[in-house]
Each structure stands twice: as C-alpha cells, then as structure tokens.
Amino acid sequence: SLSSIFCMKTSPEVKIVAATTADVNDIVQLVNGDSAHLVPRTQEEVAKDIHEWRVIKDGDKVIACGCFD
C-alpha cells in the first residue's frame, strides 16, 4: 500500500487520503510546478479523475500527490 511506501519521520498530522475536489488546485500546482518531468494536468483533467488521486497532507496542507489510474 501507499502508506507502507511513505515511511519517513513525519508529524502525527501527516496522512494519506483520497483527494477531493477541494484538493484540485493544490494538485495542479504540485504537478505543474518545478517538476518538468511530470505530465502537466489542467484543473479540468484533475477534477474529472479526482477519484483516482491520493494526497499526502500535513494537517490541511497538501504536500504530495499521486494518481493511480
């Protein structure tokens, strides 16, 4: 599972959860940010497939994401 892959010292606030529409903007910013090796995504693409996304949150802040289609 993804939780077993994500093993590093973190605060108890860090959790892996299914993404929601509230996370779309954060996902798009992460995917389209400085990581030129990722496939760019639009807000519409992410929102359409939101059920396939997972996010890692530290409290309420999205710090990482992944799409499992």
Side-chain angles (χ1 to χ4, degrees):
S1 80
L2 183 59
S3 58
S4 62
I5 294 170
F6 184 70
C7 49
M8 59 184 260
K9 283 190 166 185
T10 59
S11 76
E13 294 291 316
V14 173
K15 57 191 175 288
I16 301 168
V17 297
T20 68
T21 54
D23 300 316
V24 169
N25 288 335
D26 292 329
I27 292 170
V28 171
Q29 287 180 356
L30 285 170
V31 171
N32 295 340
D34 295 331
S35 301
H37 61 279
L38 298 176
V39 176
R41 306 287 176 112
T42 65
Q43 288 184 332
E44 293 79 17
E45 290 171 317
V46 172
K48 178 180 150 286
D49 296 325
I50 197 66
H51 62 280
E52 296 175 353
W53 286 87
R54 301 297 176 269
V55 292
I56 300 174
K57 291 188 171 188
D58 187 357
D60 290 332
K61 181 180 180 185
V62 176
I63 59 173
C65 60
C67 183
F68 303 93
D69 56 355

